[in-house]
Amino acid sequence: MNTLLSGVAVLGTGHAVPERVVTNADLATYMDTSDEWIQQRSGIKTRHWCRDGMREFVGPGNASLAEKALRMALNAAALAPSVVDALVYVTISPDIDIPGSALTVATQLGFRSDLAHFEVRNHCSGFLYGLAIARSLLESGQARHVAVVGVEVQSSGMLLSDAGRGTAVLFGDGAGAVILGPSSAEGRGIRQLIIESNGEFAERLGVACPSFARPIPLTPSDFDEATPNAFPRMDGSLIFKMASTAMPEMVRRVVAAEGIALTDLALIVPHQANQRILDMLGRALNAPEKVFSNIAEYGNTTGASIPLALSEAVRAGRINPGDWVAFVSFGAGFSWGAALIRW
Amino acid sequence: MHERESQQFFTNCVVVPGVAVGEGALAAPSPFVATTPSELAAEVVTKSMHRWSLVPNDIDLLISCTNTTDFNNPGLVSCLLHRIGRVGIPGLELKHLATGPIHAFAIAAGMVEAGRAERVLIVGTELLSRYFGDRVGAPCAEEPARSAQKIFRDGAGTCLVTSAKQSFTKDIPRYQVSSPRFWRGSGRTEHFGSFLPQANRFPLRLTAADLAAGRHYPHLDSQAFAADLEQMWGAADIALDRVDQRLVMAPVFGALPQGTTPTLELLAEYGYCGAAGLLRGLCGYTDAASTLGLVGVSPGPSIASVVLRRASA
């Protein structure tokens, strides 16, 4: 899968986040934490949540966020929903378990009833998997236009107590989308895409339950603070160590595969997991000013983070036609990857 | 893709069936009491590799189709890659129930045709009976959970998607994959599905009282779902009229439009075992029909089909 690619381009981007902004001070009312503690360890100042504290889920839901992001991306691409042949839906937090949210969004947006839809569950690297799926459909002639959306609503799954403070402060809700189609210029589009994984560390980052490895996938005790199997778990030091090594290495590999120099990159759009990791990435590549970051405002939005950051970068004028842009991720699985795009 | 109803051609990719496991039809309980999803998947992968005379390092993409994972996240594919000792390749997880293998065929064939992958391993794994794990031996009294409980079964199956140039021993059938494939989806979720939330939604979307009342169980309103399907076929996939045999994995009998026969209803053979269903059907199919139509029906409702043509050895 590590070969030259040309001809599949990003035609439009979009993003959406819930209106409700949750500050570090807000979280300090539920758990023993502080603005200083959170910022020092993650660089996060706020996040956008669909959840209103301990009280209720105020929305919008997963499908509504995805719909808004896709609508913005379609408008940017100047395309009607009816021309989209496939929807790649990347999330680990759909509104319902089965059938997920893709068909709901497709109906709301007015996509055709013969749309091919793909429910992808690949966490922080999910957007890169989505790009790989879209590219395969486009290159093989199965589709002419493909929409890829990464969307997460994670706030409702956070443990808002001292037992959950290691993870609850990190995650945010949001969506980012791209429309992919034929490139209009020679050499433009997705040039390189590499995804790799190592399942040895599957238990080090994620959510254990519901677990179908057990006779009963989910029980009330999974929500106890003493056995919080239904809430995120994370080996932060291991992830920091591995991500700090893997992410710069993946950027170097896609750049080398294309035969360009690191200095040719105009922008690096990484998965927004932690500002400390992004700082390490910038230092390792000797290009801190080229590492795009919006984690201070949104936190870690898992599968949504790269397309959300990309959409903001485009609208901020950070990406121009002809620029070399790299995406890079590391996350649960563990799974990691990078893509190189000639904009 | 826009003219899929009127055109039918075949790619240069072949589907090579592997090994499947699973027992029992609708009346039988699950035989997999002490098994985890990744153990079940690893078992069929290991046996399939042996059958194909391949080793895990020969695979450059693994696509796992499942709704029932060892952990809520990461998915089954991470655990499976670790169990078979394959490191460094992409592991894609699709969540589609019965249509999953068709989605995987589309991705795999695209990857192989574009030269992005040489051998794509597809694994369908389900332990669907565990949705009702706290009701073993005590059937749900309430509809529509009872209807779902009656049909949900377990199993796993595999296939390989690779170039038609790849050779295998003569006793292993190979099928060319059609393109385009057929898709239908409606976005109606109320008649078949599962509201068991991703665990991270539980505190606010489902309460302990909901759990006690059984509102977390999957549900199936068979009559309403069948009516949904009837409306969706509309301009049905005419490619299915032209095949010698059809293998159908649907939660209700008679899912295909009337007149599309002969049809092997896998529901009667295996129960509804989601993403494992069509792969079990394909792995177990021994007749010499030259063209096969695979049809999956998932909640949504979502319909997907593909035509396979027997390739010469």
Side-chain angles (χ1 to χ4, degrees), chain A residues 14-17 69 90-92 122-128 149-154 170-178 247 268-274 278 292-296 298-313 326-331:
Chain A
H15 68 276
V17 293
V90 177
T91 187
I92 56 170
N122 280 91
H123 329 104
C124 306
S125 296
F127 181 69
L128 294 182
V149 61
V151 52
E152 304 290 1
V153 174
Q154 304 182 99
L170 300 178
F171 293 99
D173 304 338
V178 296
M247 290 174 76
I268 300 165
V269 183
H271 167 54
Q272 309 281 312
N274 188 308
L278 302 187
F292 188 85
S293 174
N294 61 6
I295 192 170
Y298 300 122
N300 180 347
T301 56
T302 310
S305 83
I306 291 179
L308 198 165
L310 175 67
S311 178
E312 284 208 331
F327 305 152
V328 61
S329 74
F330 184 94

Side-chain angles (χ1 to χ4, degrees), chain B residues 18 59 109:
Chain B
I59 303 302

Side-chain angles (χ1 to χ4, degrees), chain B:
Chain B
M1 199 140 169
H2 296 292
E3 298 177 354
R4 61 167 62 82
E5 279 88 16
S6 60
Q7 293 183 356
Q8 186 70 51
F9 61 93
F10 288 87
T11 69
N12 289 319
C13 300
V14 290
V15 171
V16 188
V19 171
V21 297
E23 293 176 19
L26 291 177
S30 171
F32 302 116
V33 175
T35 307
T36 69
S38 65
E39 283 174 344
L40 197 62
E43 178 186 339
V44 293
V45 168
T46 302
K47 289 177 178 173
S48 298
M49 289 289 172
H50 181 72
R51 183 175 193 229
W52 298 323
S53 299
L54 297 175
V55 296
N57 279 353
D58 292 323
I59 303 302
D60 43 17
L61 170 62
L62 172 57
I63 303 178
S64 164
C65 307
T66 183
N67 280 260
T68 50
T69 52
D70 288 30
F71 307 125
N72 181 26
N73 67 72
L76 171 61
V77 72
S78 296
C79 302
L80 176 57
L81 283 166
H82 183 49
R83 284 190 184 280
I84 66 173
R86 187 71 172 104
V87 176
I89 63 168
L92 172 62
E93 186 107 332
L94 296 178
K95 189 166 185 173
H96 283 280
L97 278 175
T99 52
I102 313 280
H103 289 83
F105 288 161
I107 297 166
M111 294 277 190
V112 172
E113 282 198 294
R116 304 291 174 192
E118 286 187 34
R119 298 183 191 89
V120 181
L121 175 62
I122 296 171
V123 186
T125 315
E126 301 287 12
L127 287 174
L128 292 178
S129 67
R130 288 194 184 165
Y131 273 102
F132 300 93
D134 55 346
R135 290 291 186 101
V136 172
C140 294
E142 312 82 10
E143 290 290 3
R146 185 179 173 86
S147 291
Q149 188 185 22
K150 279 180 182 174
I151 63 166
F152 271 25
R153 291 292 178 270
D154 310 327
T158 63
C159 73
L160 187 73
V161 175
T162 186
S163 162
K165 294 175 184 171
Q166 296 274 327
S167 60
F168 293 86
T169 58
K170 284 186 177 178
D171 62 318
I172 300 177
R174 303 180 310 148
Y175 299 93
Q176 273 183 281
V177 190
S178 72
S179 180
R181 282 149 283 272
F182 176 83
W183 312 100
R184 281 285 185 278
S186 83
R188 298 192 67 177
T189 60
E190 66 270 32
H191 296 141
F192 181 34
S194 163
F195 294 128
L196 177 74
Q198 301 291 322
N200 61 6
R201 305 185 64 76
F202 189 96
L204 294 164
R205 286 298 179 90
L206 198 62
T207 65
D210 292 325
L211 205 64
R215 283 191 279 269
H216 60 299
Y217 294 127
H219 56 277
L220 170 63
D221 182 335
S222 300
Q223 280 192 326
F225 190 76
D228 289 342
L229 288 180
E230 205 169 308
Q231 289 181 2
M232 285 173 60
W233 277 104
D237 180 11
I238 61 169
L240 286 175
D241 291 335
R242 301 172 184 161
V243 299
D244 299 322
Q245 179 62 279
R246 298 153 197 85
L247 306 183
V248 180
M249 182 82 255
V252 293
F253 289 105
L256 289 189
Q258 284 189 343
T260 43
T261 56
T263 296
L264 187 57
E265 304 235 27
L266 298 174
L267 180 63
E269 299 284 319
Y270 308 137
Y272 190 72
C273 52
L278 287 175
L279 295 176
R280 288 179 68 188
L282 188 61
C283 292
Y285 189 73
T286 56
D287 290 353
S290 60
T291 52
L292 282 177
L294 303 189
V295 183
V297 178
S298 294
S302 171
I303 302 169
S305 73
V306 65
V307 175
L308 303 180
R309 181 171 67 185
R310 187 110 182 203
S312 54

Side-chain angles (χ1 to χ4, degrees), chain A residues 25-318:
Chain A
D26 292 334
L27 293 179
T29 64
Y30 302 110
M31 61 191 78
D32 182 14
T33 191
S34 68
D35 180 53
E36 182 185 16
W37 190 90
I38 296 170
Q39 285 207 49
Q40 275 185 353
R41 284 160 181 77
S42 68
I44 298 169
K45 297 177 181 175
T46 62
R47 70 287 294 149
H48 291 241
W49 274 11
C50 300
R51 176 182 189 173
D52 183 7
M54 296 292 280
R55 287 171 296 192
E56 59 180 336
F57 184 90
V58 294
N62 181 296
S64 296
L65 286 173
E67 179 191 346
K68 288 178 183 173
L70 283 163
R71 205 178 290 282
M72 184 188 286
L74 284 165
N75 287 339
L79 292 172
S82 60
V83 307
V84 174
D85 299 308
L87 170 62
V88 182
Y89 204 93
V90 177
T91 187
I92 56 170
S93 52
D95 289 328
I96 56 175
D97 178 36
I98 305 172
S101 299
L103 283 174
T104 302
V105 172
T107 304
Q108 289 170 349
L109 273 169
F111 286 147
R112 301 195 313 269
S113 64
D114 62 352
L115 176 88
H117 72 286
F118 297 83
E119 292 273 5
V120 177
R121 303 285 183 267
N122 280 91
H123 329 104
C124 306
S125 296
F127 181 69
L128 294 182
Y129 278 93
L131 286 184
I133 292 169
R135 184 180 66 170
S136 78
L137 299 174
L138 290 159
E139 284 187 329
S140 60
Q142 297 179 67
R144 180 99 176 140
H145 296 99
V146 180
V148 181
V149 61
V151 52
E152 304 290 1
V153 174
Q154 304 182 99
S155 57
S156 54
M158 295 299 125
L159 183 54
L160 294 188
S161 70
D162 288 354
R165 70 173 182 164
T167 52
V169 301
L170 300 178
F171 293 99
D173 304 338
V178 296
I179 308 298
L180 297 170
S183 174
S184 59
E186 181 72 21
R188 297 286 176 82
I190 304 173
R191 301 287 298 177
Q192 303 290 336
L193 178 54
I194 306 173
I195 311 169
E196 297 178 345
S197 65
N198 185 349
E200 179 184 353
F201 305 104
E203 293 184 54
R204 302 298 187 92
L205 175 61
V207 179
C209 291
S211 166
F212 290 84
R214 311 187 317 190
I216 303 175
L218 190 64
T219 66
S221 66
D222 293 320
F223 299 91
D224 291 346
E225 290 198 4
T227 54
N229 297 317
F231 299 102
R233 60 187 177 189
M234 182 178 74
D235 183 342
S237 57
L238 176 68
I239 293 158
F240 180 81
K241 183 180 172 184
M242 293 189 70
S244 298
T245 304
M247 290 174 76
E249 174 62 19
M250 295 306 288
V251 174
R252 288 193 191 98
R253 282 176 58 186
V254 291
V255 163
E258 185 64 26
I260 64 171
L262 278 171
T263 52
D264 291 328
L265 288 177
L267 195 67
I268 300 165
V269 183
H271 167 54
Q272 309 281 312
N274 188 308
Q275 187 58 46
R276 292 168 64 208
I277 294 175
L278 302 187
D279 291 342
M280 285 286 287
L281 175 66
R283 284 198 295 272
L285 299 176
N286 198 27
E289 75 285 358
K290 293 182 179 177
V291 176
F292 188 85
S293 174
N294 61 6
I295 192 170
E297 181 177 356
Y298 300 122
N300 180 347
T301 56
T302 310
S305 83
I306 291 179
L308 198 165
L310 175 67
S311 178
E312 284 208 331
V314 168
R315 283 164 178 79
R318 298 283 301 272

